[in-house]
Amino acid sequence: MSGCIALFCGGVGGAKMAAGFAATLAASDLQIIVNVGDDFEFCGLNISPDLDTVMYTLADRHDAEKGWGLRGETWTTMQRLIELGGPSWFQLGDQDIATHLWRTSLLRQGQSLSDVTHTLSRAHGIAHSIVPATDERLRTQIRTGDGLLDFQDYFVRLRAQPVALEILYAGAEHARPSPALRDCLAHPSLRAIVLAPSNPWLSLGPMLAIPGVKETLGRRGLPVIAVSPIIAGKAVKGPAAKLLGELGAEITVYGVAQFYRNVATHFVIDQQDAMHADRIRALGMKVHCTDILIPSPARQRSLAEELLDMLDRLETASFGA
């Protein structure tokens, strides 16, 4: 793990950044730490949406148009399930179901989620380590005017339409970092932590809520670089901007920066948001402005390389100037 980078991520934005770093760094120099707060059971199957999104993206098998699932899917099983009276609100393709069947089987045999994820990643030909943040049950819930909703009910079934009043991380207080995450954070050659442009509340919040994680980041004294998921007041993807407003935060990169206060040492924002840089610096973070939109593999790799160059220059006055 010489000069290792720990990338905390979830969702499509996190998967894209993971792909950029994986194209740039050797497998030994990157640990991809993935949110499990979205995990749930559907028709008896253990589903890990963020782990699968990262895995399918690194294997170059993801459906880029949909933003989830596998490219070239068929839907025979799902169609038959609906005909039989089963639920239709969560869509699983035929190839995707194989992933969930095998995960569920291995978990029921007593394997940890970390071990199962390793097995699935290697089966997809992925050399880099994809690590669940915890092997224990941790579930994101959203308190709304309609009551307390599990994440998938809120995000998929109700399409994030209910007004969010509070974000909860059920089980976080009893969760422990997965062995790979624990070892990564303690490793003497860990170079930096990068917080991907994932939803801060829904993807990164659950990981930071695991006891000891946030404290370890501060104790190590390493650079913690957060990349904004907001550009010009709009989320690149997902309900991040909507949540900002509903939770009483400013719908700008400054609102995101407030979430990362006392966690991130550096904040990377888009050039369109440069007018917020001084206020973000007042929160105690250094700021770097660049093009953070990463729609293509070339841009994903380019931004990863830029962040690595920034790490090389952390001791100079040019960073955050």
Side-chain angles (χ1 to χ4, degrees):
M1 282 178 52
S2 175
C4 183
I5 303 296
L7 174 68
F8 284 59
C9 69
V12 175
K16 288 180 176 181
M17 177 149 281
F21 275 108
T24 306
L25 295 171
S28 60
D29 292 335
L30 178 64
Q31 290 281 312
I32 304 168
I33 316 300
V34 184
N35 170 48
V36 297
D38 298 6
D39 289 17
F40 76 119
E41 288 190 6
F42 183 78
C43 293
L45 298 178
N46 291 86
I47 315 294
S48 294
D50 279 357
L51 285 168
D52 290 343
T53 296
V54 173
M55 181 172 65
Y56 293 160
T57 300
L58 264 62
D60 192 24
R61 297 192 62 190
H62 65 295
D63 189 326
E65 183 176 341
K66 284 190 177 71
W68 53 271
L70 286 156
R71 188 168 59 244
E73 267 291 13
T74 55
W75 304 92
T76 303
T77 303
M78 197 72 215
Q79 290 167 2
R80 182 58 180 151
L81 176 65
I82 295 170
E83 290 170 0
L84 292 171
S88 61
W89 63 270
F90 195 86
Q91 296 287 302
L92 296 175
D94 296 327
Q95 298 178 75
D96 196 26
I97 287 173
T99 298
H100 308 313
L101 282 169
W102 192 222
R103 174 187 291 114
T104 302
S105 177
L106 294 175
L107 288 172
R108 290 178 180 173
Q109 292 173 38
Q111 293 193 31
S112 69
L113 183 59
S114 290
D115 290 340
V116 174
T117 301
H118 177 81
T119 297
L120 291 171
S121 296
R122 294 302 177 267
H124 281 82
I126 299 168
H128 292 80
S129 294
I130 300 173
V131 177
T134 181
D135 288 329
E136 298 170 55
R137 186 179 179 85
L138 168 59
R139 298 292 181 263
T140 299
Q141 297 179 322
I142 296 87
R143 190 178 304 282
T144 74
D146 299 328
L148 188 63
L149 299 172
D150 290 333
F151 175 79
Q152 298 299 338
D153 280 336
Y154 165 80
F155 186 67
V156 180
R157 186 173 66 84
L158 299 176
R159 302 182 182 277
Q161 292 178 355
V163 174
L165 306 176
E166 184 182 12
I167 309 296
L168 305 172
Y169 309 117
E173 66 276 15
H174 302 300
R176 294 170 296 176
S178 63
L181 173 55
R182 183 191 62 232
D183 293 346
C184 175
L185 293 180
H187 202 283
S189 67
L190 179 63
R191 185 182 183 191
I193 296 92
V194 177
L195 307 179
S198 305
N199 189 302
W201 294 270
L202 301 180
S203 294
L204 297 174
M207 295 188 276
L208 296 174
I210 298 171
V213 171
K214 191 183 299 185
E215 294 79 4
T216 301
L217 298 186
R219 186 166 61 248
R220 286 297 306 268
L222 297 169
V224 179
I225 301 173
V227 182
S228 175
I230 295 286
I231 298 177
K234 297 181 180 179
V236 177
K237 189 175 181 62
K242 176 178 181 290
L243 285 173
L244 272 170
E246 292 174 354
L247 297 174
E250 184 177 303
I251 308 177
T252 65
V253 291
Y254 180 75
V256 178
Q258 288 179 307
F259 178 89
Y260 288 129
R261 188 176 189 176
N262 300 322
V263 176
T265 59
H266 302 77
F267 197 44
V268 181
I269 65 176
D270 196 82
Q271 295 166 339
Q272 298 178 61
D273 293 309
M275 74 288 291
H276 299 286
D278 287 342
R279 287 201 298 157
I280 295 171
R281 292 188 184 101
L283 296 175
M285 288 176 269
K286 293 184 179 179
V287 179
H288 182 75
C289 297
T290 187
D291 177 7
I292 63 171
L293 195 62
I294 48 175
S296 67
R299 277 296 304 138
Q300 292 154 20
R301 179 166 187 164
S302 176
L303 182 57
E305 291 172 344
E306 184 172 350
L307 295 181
L308 293 171
D309 287 343
M310 286 162 46
L311 284 174
D312 290 337
R313 297 185 284 109
L314 276 179
E315 298 302 322
T316 72
S318 61
F319 185 91

mmCIF file of all heavy atoms in Angstrom, residues 57-98:
data_model
loop_
_atom_site.group_PDB
_atom_site.id
_atom_site.type_symbol
_atom_site.label_atom_id
_atom_site.label_comp_id
_atom_site.label_asym_id
_atom_site.label_seq_id
_atom_site.Cartn_x
_atom_site.Cartn_y
_atom_site.Cartn_z
ATOM 1 N N THR A 57 -19.085 -0.589 -12.796
ATOM 2 C CA THR A 57 -18.384 0.501 -13.487
ATOM 3 C C THR A 57 -16.926 0.150 -13.708
ATOM 4 O O THR A 57 -16.386 0.335 -14.808
ATOM 5 C CB THR A 57 -18.501 1.805 -12.678
ATOM 6 O OG1 THR A 57 -19.889 2.148 -12.525
ATOM 7 C CG2 THR A 57 -17.793 2.956 -13.380
ATOM 8 N N LEU A 58 -16.252 -0.383 -12.676
ATOM 9 C CA LEU A 58 -14.843 -0.749 -12.834
ATOM 10 C C LEU A 58 -14.664 -1.903 -13.813
ATOM 11 O O LEU A 58 -13.630 -2.009 -14.473
ATOM 12 C CB LEU A 58 -14.224 -1.097 -11.476
ATOM 13 C CG LEU A 58 -13.460 0.050 -10.795
ATOM 14 C CD1 LEU A 58 -14.387 1.215 -10.502
ATOM 15 C CD2 LEU A 58 -12.770 -0.430 -9.527
ATOM 16 N N ALA A 59 -15.679 -2.763 -13.913
ATOM 17 C CA ALA A 59 -15.613 -3.870 -14.865
ATOM 18 C C ALA A 59 -16.023 -3.436 -16.274
ATOM 19 O O ALA A 59 -15.989 -4.249 -17.207
ATOM 20 C CB ALA A 59 -16.518 -5.007 -14.400
ATOM 21 N N ASP A 60 -16.418 -2.166 -16.425
ATOM 22 C CA ASP A 60 -16.907 -1.621 -17.694
ATOM 23 C C ASP A 60 -18.089 -2.420 -18.232
ATOM 24 O O ASP A 60 -18.196 -2.724 -19.411
ATOM 25 C CB ASP A 60 -15.789 -1.586 -18.746
ATOM 26 C CG ASP A 60 -16.190 -0.757 -19.973
ATOM 27 O OD1 ASP A 60 -17.069 0.119 -19.833
ATOM 28 O OD2 ASP A 60 -15.627 -1.011 -21.059
ATOM 29 N N ARG A 61 -18.994 -2.743 -17.306
ATOM 30 C CA ARG A 61 -20.200 -3.464 -17.699
ATOM 31 C C ARG A 61 -21.460 -2.698 -17.292
ATOM 32 O O ARG A 61 -22.567 -3.199 -17.460
ATOM 33 C CB ARG A 61 -20.214 -4.863 -17.062
ATOM 34 C CG ARG A 61 -19.070 -5.764 -17.501
ATOM 35 C CD ARG A 61 -19.318 -7.202 -17.073
ATOM 36 N NE ARG A 61 -20.520 -7.740 -17.692
ATOM 37 C CZ ARG A 61 -21.063 -8.906 -17.345
ATOM 38 N NH1 ARG A 61 -20.518 -9.643 -16.394
ATOM 39 N NH2 ARG A 61 -22.166 -9.344 -17.945
ATOM 40 N N HIS A 62 -21.293 -1.506 -16.754
ATOM 41 C CA HIS A 62 -22.438 -0.745 -16.254
ATOM 42 C C HIS A 62 -23.241 -0.153 -17.405
ATOM 43 O O HIS A 62 -22.729 0.053 -18.505
ATOM 44 C CB HIS A 62 -21.971 0.383 -15.339
ATOM 45 C CG HIS A 62 -21.155 1.431 -16.046
ATOM 46 N ND1 HIS A 62 -19.918 1.177 -16.608
ATOM 47 C CD2 HIS A 62 -21.400 2.746 -16.297
ATOM 48 C CE1 HIS A 62 -19.448 2.271 -17.157
ATOM 49 N NE2 HIS A 62 -20.326 3.250 -17.003
ATOM 50 N N ASP A 63 -24.507 0.103 -17.120
ATOM 51 C CA ASP A 63 -25.380 0.761 -18.087
ATOM 52 C C ASP A 63 -25.255 2.267 -17.868
ATOM 53 O O ASP A 63 -25.885 2.831 -16.983
ATOM 54 C CB ASP A 63 -26.827 0.303 -17.880
ATOM 55 C CG ASP A 63 -27.770 0.785 -18.990
ATOM 56 O OD1 ASP A 63 -27.546 1.908 -19.498
ATOM 57 O OD2 ASP A 63 -28.714 0.065 -19.319
ATOM 58 N N ALA A 64 -24.431 2.912 -18.683
ATOM 59 C CA ALA A 64 -24.165 4.334 -18.507
ATOM 60 C C ALA A 64 -25.400 5.176 -18.762
ATOM 61 O O ALA A 64 -25.573 6.252 -18.168
ATOM 62 C CB ALA A 64 -23.028 4.762 -19.433
ATOM 63 N N GLU A 65 -26.280 4.706 -19.645
ATOM 64 C CA GLU A 65 -27.480 5.482 -19.959
ATOM 65 C C GLU A 65 -28.438 5.517 -18.776
ATOM 66 O O GLU A 65 -28.955 6.576 -18.409
ATOM 67 C CB GLU A 65 -28.180 4.884 -21.185
ATOM 68 C CG GLU A 65 -29.394 5.681 -21.634
ATOM 69 C CD GLU A 65 -30.013 5.116 -22.897
ATOM 70 O OE1 GLU A 65 -29.330 4.362 -23.614
ATOM 71 O OE2 GLU A 65 -31.193 5.441 -23.167
ATOM 72 N N LYS A 66 -28.681 4.373 -18.160
ATOM 73 C CA LYS A 66 -29.575 4.324 -17.003
ATOM 74 C C LYS A 66 -28.903 4.880 -15.748
ATOM 75 O O LYS A 66 -29.546 5.460 -14.879
ATOM 76 C CB LYS A 66 -30.023 2.886 -16.721
ATOM 77 C CG LYS A 66 -31.089 2.352 -17.662
ATOM 78 C CD LYS A 66 -31.618 1.024 -17.131
ATOM 79 C CE LYS A 66 -32.740 0.485 -18.015
ATOM 80 N NZ LYS A 66 -32.228 0.008 -19.312
ATOM 81 N N GLY A 67 -27.590 4.649 -15.628
ATOM 82 C CA GLY A 67 -26.877 5.053 -14.420
ATOM 83 C C GLY A 67 -26.869 3.958 -13.365
ATOM 84 O O GLY A 67 -26.321 4.138 -12.288
ATOM 85 N N TRP A 68 -27.458 2.822 -13.668
ATOM 86 C CA TRP A 68 -27.473 1.694 -12.743
ATOM 87 C C TRP A 68 -27.635 0.408 -13.545
ATOM 88 O O TRP A 68 -28.026 0.430 -14.712
ATOM 89 C CB TRP A 68 -28.620 1.818 -11.726
ATOM 90 C CG TRP A 68 -29.988 2.025 -12.346
ATOM 91 C CD1 TRP A 68 -30.570 3.218 -12.657
ATOM 92 C CD2 TRP A 68 -30.914 1.006 -12.770
ATOM 93 N NE1 TRP A 68 -31.805 3.002 -13.230
ATOM 94 C CE2 TRP A 68 -32.055 1.667 -13.310
ATOM 95 C CE3 TRP A 68 -30.908 -0.379 -12.728
ATOM 96 C CZ2 TRP A 68 -33.150 0.979 -13.809
ATOM 97 C CZ3 TRP A 68 -32.012 -1.079 -13.227
ATOM 98 C CH2 TRP A 68 -33.119 -0.394 -13.757
ATOM 99 N N GLY A 69 -27.304 -0.703 -12.922
ATOM 100 C CA GLY A 69 -27.475 -1.995 -13.576
ATOM 101 C C GLY A 69 -26.418 -2.283 -14.626
ATOM 102 O O GLY A 69 -25.442 -1.550 -14.796
ATOM 103 N N LEU A 70 -26.645 -3.371 -15.344
ATOM 104 C CA LEU A 70 -25.699 -3.865 -16.330
ATOM 105 C C LEU A 70 -26.125 -3.524 -17.753
ATOM 106 O O LEU A 70 -27.308 -3.489 -18.072
ATOM 107 C CB LEU A 70 -25.570 -5.387 -16.196
ATOM 108 C CG LEU A 70 -24.771 -5.858 -14.979
ATOM 109 C CD1 LEU A 70 -25.178 -7.269 -14.591
ATOM 110 C CD2 LEU A 70 -23.278 -5.795 -15.263
ATOM 111 N N ARG A 71 -25.134 -3.299 -18.581
ATOM 112 C CA ARG A 71 -25.382 -3.002 -19.983
ATOM 113 C C ARG A 71 -25.890 -4.261 -20.691
ATOM 114 O O ARG A 71 -25.440 -5.376 -20.413
ATOM 115 C CB ARG A 71 -24.066 -2.538 -20.609
ATOM 116 C CG ARG A 71 -24.155 -2.001 -22.001
ATOM 117 C CD ARG A 71 -22.865 -1.304 -22.407
ATOM 118 N NE ARG A 71 -21.705 -2.186 -22.338
ATOM 119 C CZ ARG A 71 -20.681 -2.002 -21.513
ATOM 120 N NH1 ARG A 71 -20.666 -0.985 -20.663
ATOM 121 N NH2 ARG A 71 -19.660 -2.844 -21.517
ATOM 122 N N GLY A 72 -26.842 -4.090 -21.587
ATOM 123 C CA GLY A 72 -27.352 -5.206 -22.360
ATOM 124 C C GLY A 72 -28.233 -6.149 -21.561
ATOM 125 O O GLY A 72 -28.318 -7.351 -21.879
ATOM 126 N N GLU A 73 -28.904 -5.628 -20.540
ATOM 127 C CA GLU A 73 -29.758 -6.456 -19.689
ATOM 128 C C GLU A 73 -30.986 -6.980 -20.436
ATOM 129 O O GLU A 73 -31.442 -6.397 -21.430
ATOM 130 C CB GLU A 73 -30.229 -5.665 -18.469
ATOM 131 C CG GLU A 73 -29.362 -5.820 -17.237
ATOM 132 C CD GLU A 73 -29.445 -7.210 -16.608
ATOM 133 O OE1 GLU A 73 -29.983 -8.149 -17.243
ATOM 134 O OE2 GLU A 73 -28.962 -7.358 -15.475
ATOM 135 N N THR A 74 -31.528 -8.067 -19.917
ATOM 136 C CA THR A 74 -32.853 -8.553 -20.294
ATOM 137 C C THR A 74 -33.694 -8.600 -19.027
ATOM 138 O O THR A 74 -33.166 -8.554 -17.905
ATOM 139 C CB THR A 74 -32.776 -9.945 -20.941
ATOM 140 O OG1 THR A 74 -32.082 -10.842 -20.046
ATOM 141 C CG2 THR A 74 -32.035 -9.877 -22.264
ATOM 142 N N TRP A 75 -35.020 -8.671 -19.182
ATOM 143 C CA TRP A 75 -35.909 -8.460 -18.040
ATOM 144 C C TRP A 75 -36.969 -9.551 -17.898
ATOM 145 O O TRP A 75 -38.019 -9.335 -17.313
ATOM 146 C CB TRP A 75 -36.583 -7.081 -18.191
ATOM 147 C CG TRP A 75 -35.576 -5.988 -18.329
ATOM 148 C CD1 TRP A 75 -35.061 -5.494 -19.484
ATOM 149 C CD2 TRP A 75 -34.908 -5.317 -17.265
ATOM 150 N NE1 TRP A 75 -34.114 -4.530 -19.215
ATOM 151 C CE2 TRP A 75 -34.001 -4.402 -17.853
ATOM 152 C CE3 TRP A 75 -34.991 -5.381 -15.864
ATOM 153 C CZ2 TRP A 75 -33.182 -3.569 -17.097
ATOM 154 C CZ3 TRP A 75 -34.179 -4.554 -15.113
ATOM 155 C CH2 TRP A 75 -33.284 -3.666 -15.727
ATOM 156 N N THR A 76 -36.656 -10.739 -18.378
ATOM 157 C CA THR A 76 -37.627 -11.830 -18.360
ATOM 158 C C THR A 76 -38.086 -12.178 -16.941
ATOM 159 O O THR A 76 -39.289 -12.331 -16.681
ATOM 160 C CB THR A 76 -37.029 -13.084 -19.024
ATOM 161 O OG1 THR A 76 -36.623 -12.750 -20.354
ATOM 162 C CG2 THR A 76 -38.059 -14.208 -19.068
ATOM 163 N N THR A 77 -37.141 -12.311 -16.027
ATOM 164 C CA THR A 77 -37.490 -12.690 -14.651
ATOM 165 C C THR A 77 -38.354 -11.626 -13.988
ATOM 166 O O THR A 77 -39.357 -11.941 -13.321
ATOM 167 C CB THR A 77 -36.218 -12.929 -13.824
ATOM 168 O OG1 THR A 77 -35.412 -13.930 -14.460
ATOM 169 C CG2 THR A 77 -36.565 -13.375 -12.407
ATOM 170 N N MET A 78 -38.002 -10.364 -14.200
ATOM 171 C CA MET A 78 -38.765 -9.272 -13.594
ATOM 172 C C MET A 78 -40.179 -9.231 -14.155
ATOM 173 O O MET A 78 -41.163 -9.040 -13.416
ATOM 174 C CB MET A 78 -38.048 -7.939 -13.855
ATOM 175 C CG MET A 78 -38.494 -6.814 -12.957
ATOM 176 S SD MET A 78 -37.900 -7.006 -11.266
ATOM 177 C CE MET A 78 -39.289 -6.316 -10.363
ATOM 178 N N GLN A 79 -40.301 -9.417 -15.448
ATOM 179 C CA GLN A 79 -41.628 -9.406 -16.062
ATOM 180 C C GLN A 79 -42.498 -10.537 -15.516
ATOM 181 O O GLN A 79 -43.682 -10.352 -15.231
ATOM 182 C CB GLN A 79 -41.487 -9.519 -17.577
ATOM 183 C CG GLN A 79 -40.904 -8.267 -18.221
ATOM 184 C CD GLN A 79 -40.489 -8.501 -19.663
ATOM 185 O OE1 GLN A 79 -40.665 -9.585 -20.208
ATOM 186 N NE2 GLN A 79 -39.928 -7.473 -20.279
ATOM 187 N N ARG A 80 -41.900 -11.707 -15.345
ATOM 188 C CA ARG A 80 -42.664 -12.830 -14.810
ATOM 189 C C ARG A 80 -43.024 -12.604 -13.344
ATOM 190 O O ARG A 80 -44.124 -12.964 -12.902
ATOM 191 C CB ARG A 80 -41.846 -14.114 -14.961
ATOM 192 C CG ARG A 80 -42.583 -15.373 -14.482
ATOM 193 C CD ARG A 80 -43.878 -15.564 -15.223
ATOM 194 N NE ARG A 80 -44.578 -16.771 -14.774
ATOM 195 C CZ ARG A 80 -45.885 -16.914 -14.795
ATOM 196 N NH1 ARG A 80 -46.657 -15.928 -15.260
ATOM 197 N NH2 ARG A 80 -46.447 -18.026 -14.381
ATOM 198 N N LEU A 81 -42.106 -11.992 -12.573
ATOM 199 C CA LEU A 81 -42.381 -11.680 -11.170
ATOM 200 C C LEU A 81 -43.603 -10.772 -11.054
ATOM 201 O O LEU A 81 -44.487 -10.997 -10.210
ATOM 202 C CB LEU A 81 -41.159 -10.995 -10.538
ATOM 203 C CG LEU A 81 -41.320 -10.522 -9.092
ATOM 204 C CD1 LEU A 81 -41.525 -11.694 -8.141
ATOM 205 C CD2 LEU A 81 -40.098 -9.693 -8.665
ATOM 206 N N ILE A 82 -43.693 -9.772 -11.911
ATOM 207 C CA ILE A 82 -44.830 -8.848 -11.888
ATOM 208 C C ILE A 82 -46.122 -9.579 -12.279
ATOM 209 O O ILE A 82 -47.174 -9.360 -11.681
ATOM 210 C CB ILE A 82 -44.544 -7.653 -12.822
ATOM 211 C CG1 ILE A 82 -43.357 -6.842 -12.294
ATOM 212 C CG2 ILE A 82 -45.780 -6.766 -12.958
ATOM 213 C CD1 ILE A 82 -42.843 -5.802 -13.264
ATOM 214 N N GLU A 83 -46.021 -10.461 -13.269
ATOM 215 C CA GLU A 83 -47.199 -11.237 -13.674
ATOM 216 C C GLU A 83 -47.725 -12.098 -12.527
ATOM 217 O O GLU A 83 -48.931 -12.338 -12.405
ATOM 218 C CB GLU A 83 -46.843 -12.122 -14.871
ATOM 219 C CG GLU A 83 -46.605 -11.352 -16.156
ATOM 220 C CD GLU A 83 -46.031 -12.239 -17.252
ATOM 221 O OE1 GLU A 83 -45.826 -13.452 -16.984
ATOM 222 O OE2 GLU A 83 -45.776 -11.732 -18.354
ATOM 223 N N LEU A 84 -46.818 -12.535 -11.670
ATOM 224 C CA LEU A 84 -47.203 -13.375 -10.539
ATOM 225 C C LEU A 84 -47.719 -12.561 -9.350
ATOM 226 O O LEU A 84 -48.111 -13.130 -8.335
ATOM 227 C CB LEU A 84 -46.005 -14.218 -10.091
ATOM 228 C CG LEU A 84 -45.545 -15.297 -11.076
ATOM 229 C CD1 LEU A 84 -44.231 -15.915 -10.622
ATOM 230 C CD2 LEU A 84 -46.617 -16.376 -11.234
ATOM 231 N N GLY A 85 -47.712 -11.234 -9.494
ATOM 232 C CA GLY A 85 -48.196 -10.371 -8.423
ATOM 233 C C GLY A 85 -47.110 -9.802 -7.542
ATOM 234 O O GLY A 85 -47.389 -9.198 -6.503
ATOM 235 N N GLY A 86 -45.845 -9.964 -7.947
ATOM 236 C CA GLY A 86 -44.728 -9.449 -7.169
ATOM 237 C C GLY A 86 -44.550 -7.952 -7.348
ATOM 238 O O GLY A 86 -45.192 -7.331 -8.199
ATOM 239 N N PRO A 87 -43.666 -7.338 -6.549
ATOM 240 C CA PRO A 87 -43.455 -5.881 -6.610
ATOM 241 C C PRO A 87 -42.754 -5.469 -7.898
ATOM 242 O O PRO A 87 -41.924 -6.207 -8.428
ATOM 243 C CB PRO A 87 -42.575 -5.598 -5.392
ATOM 244 C CG PRO A 87 -41.868 -6.893 -5.124
ATOM 245 C CD PRO A 87 -42.833 -7.980 -5.505
ATOM 246 N N SER A 88 -43.109 -4.296 -8.368
ATOM 247 C CA SER A 88 -42.533 -3.809 -9.632
ATOM 248 C C SER A 88 -41.709 -2.546 -9.447
ATOM 249 O O SER A 88 -41.090 -2.080 -10.396
ATOM 250 C CB SER A 88 -43.654 -3.533 -10.633
ATOM 251 O OG SER A 88 -44.532 -2.521 -10.137
ATOM 252 N N TRP A 89 -41.678 -1.981 -8.233
ATOM 253 C CA TRP A 89 -41.066 -0.656 -8.057
ATOM 254 C C TRP A 89 -39.547 -0.693 -8.090
ATOM 255 O O TRP A 89 -38.911 0.325 -8.360
ATOM 256 C CB TRP A 89 -41.546 -0.011 -6.761
ATOM 257 C CG TRP A 89 -41.176 -0.757 -5.496
ATOM 258 C CD1 TRP A 89 -41.908 -1.719 -4.887
ATOM 259 C CD2 TRP A 89 -40.003 -0.580 -4.700
ATOM 260 N NE1 TRP A 89 -41.266 -2.170 -3.756
ATOM 261 C CE2 TRP A 89 -40.100 -1.474 -3.615
ATOM 262 C CE3 TRP A 89 -38.887 0.256 -4.784
ATOM 263 C CZ2 TRP A 89 -39.118 -1.581 -2.629
ATOM 264 C CZ3 TRP A 89 -37.903 0.161 -3.815
ATOM 265 C CH2 TRP A 89 -38.020 -0.735 -2.749
ATOM 266 N N PHE A 90 -38.937 -1.851 -7.840
ATOM 267 C CA PHE A 90 -37.480 -1.966 -7.897
ATOM 268 C C PHE A 90 -37.137 -2.952 -9.001
ATOM 269 O O PHE A 90 -37.521 -4.118 -8.950
ATOM 270 C CB PHE A 90 -36.913 -2.438 -6.560
ATOM 271 C CG PHE A 90 -35.420 -2.239 -6.435
ATOM 272 C CD1 PHE A 90 -34.915 -1.031 -5.989
ATOM 273 C CD2 PHE A 90 -34.539 -3.247 -6.780
ATOM 274 C CE1 PHE A 90 -33.543 -0.838 -5.887
ATOM 275 C CE2 PHE A 90 -33.172 -3.062 -6.686
ATOM 276 C CZ PHE A 90 -32.662 -1.860 -6.228
ATOM 277 N N GLN A 91 -36.422 -2.471 -10.009
ATOM 278 C CA GLN A 91 -36.159 -3.267 -11.196
ATOM 279 C C GLN A 91 -34.824 -4.010 -11.096
ATOM 280 O O GLN A 91 -33.784 -3.411 -10.810
ATOM 281 C CB GLN A 91 -36.145 -2.371 -12.431
ATOM 282 C CG GLN A 91 -37.489 -1.704 -12.719
ATOM 283 C CD GLN A 91 -38.503 -2.693 -13.257
ATOM 284 O OE1 GLN A 91 -38.290 -3.339 -14.281
ATOM 285 N NE2 GLN A 91 -39.623 -2.826 -12.546
ATOM 286 N N LEU A 92 -34.859 -5.311 -11.338
ATOM 287 C CA LEU A 92 -33.656 -6.130 -11.371
ATOM 288 C C LEU A 92 -33.591 -6.863 -12.706
ATOM 289 O O LEU A 92 -34.511 -7.605 -13.066
ATOM 290 C CB LEU A 92 -33.658 -7.150 -10.231
ATOM 291 C CG LEU A 92 -33.618 -6.603 -8.797
ATOM 292 C CD1 LEU A 92 -33.752 -7.756 -7.812
ATOM 293 C CD2 LEU A 92 -32.323 -5.839 -8.552
ATOM 294 N N GLY A 93 -32.505 -6.660 -13.447
ATOM 295 C CA GLY A 93 -32.325 -7.375 -14.706
ATOM 296 C C GLY A 93 -31.891 -8.813 -14.470
ATOM 297 O O GLY A 93 -31.462 -9.180 -13.372
ATOM 298 N N ASP A 94 -31.988 -9.627 -15.499
ATOM 299 C CA ASP A 94 -31.667 -11.053 -15.370
ATOM 300 C C ASP A 94 -30.213 -11.284 -14.957
ATOM 301 O O ASP A 94 -29.924 -12.127 -14.101
ATOM 302 C CB ASP A 94 -31.947 -11.766 -16.697
ATOM 303 C CG ASP A 94 -33.425 -11.719 -17.066
ATOM 304 O OD1 ASP A 94 -34.267 -11.748 -16.151
ATOM 305 O OD2 ASP A 94 -33.734 -11.654 -18.271
ATOM 306 N N GLN A 95 -29.270 -10.551 -15.566
ATOM 307 C CA GLN A 95 -27.863 -10.712 -15.201
ATOM 308 C C GLN A 95 -27.608 -10.198 -13.776
ATOM 309 O O GLN A 95 -26.858 -10.812 -13.010
ATOM 310 C CB GLN A 95 -26.978 -9.942 -16.168
ATOM 311 C CG GLN A 95 -27.050 -10.380 -17.611
ATOM 312 C CD GLN A 95 -26.177 -9.511 -18.487
ATOM 313 O OE1 GLN A 95 -24.947 -9.631 -18.474
ATOM 314 N NE2 GLN A 95 -26.792 -8.612 -19.246
ATOM 315 N N ASP A 96 -28.239 -9.098 -13.449
ATOM 316 C CA ASP A 96 -28.078 -8.498 -12.129
ATOM 317 C C ASP A 96 -28.578 -9.444 -11.041
ATOM 318 O O ASP A 96 -27.981 -9.559 -9.962
ATOM 319 C CB ASP A 96 -28.852 -7.173 -12.089
ATOM 320 C CG ASP A 96 -28.454 -6.290 -10.922
ATOM 321 O OD1 ASP A 96 -27.314 -6.410 -10.436
ATOM 322 O OD2 ASP A 96 -29.284 -5.469 -10.503
ATOM 323 N N ILE A 97 -29.661 -10.133 -11.309
ATOM 324 C CA ILE A 97 -30.217 -11.076 -10.337
ATOM 325 C C ILE A 97 -29.196 -12.154 -9.991
ATOM 326 O O ILE A 97 -29.115 -12.606 -8.832
ATOM 327 C CB ILE A 97 -31.528 -11.698 -10.870
ATOM 328 C CG1 ILE A 97 -32.656 -10.650 -10.819
ATOM 329 C CG2 ILE A 97 -31.928 -12.937 -10.066
ATOM 330 C CD1 ILE A 97 -33.943 -11.094 -11.481
ATOM 331 N N ALA A 98 -28.389 -12.571 -10.962
ATOM 332 C CA ALA A 98 -27.365 -13.578 -10.680
ATOM 333 C C ALA A 98 -26.387 -13.077 -9.616
ATOM 334 O O ALA A 98 -25.976 -13.836 -8.724
ATOM 335 C CB ALA A 98 -26.622 -13.949 -11.963
#
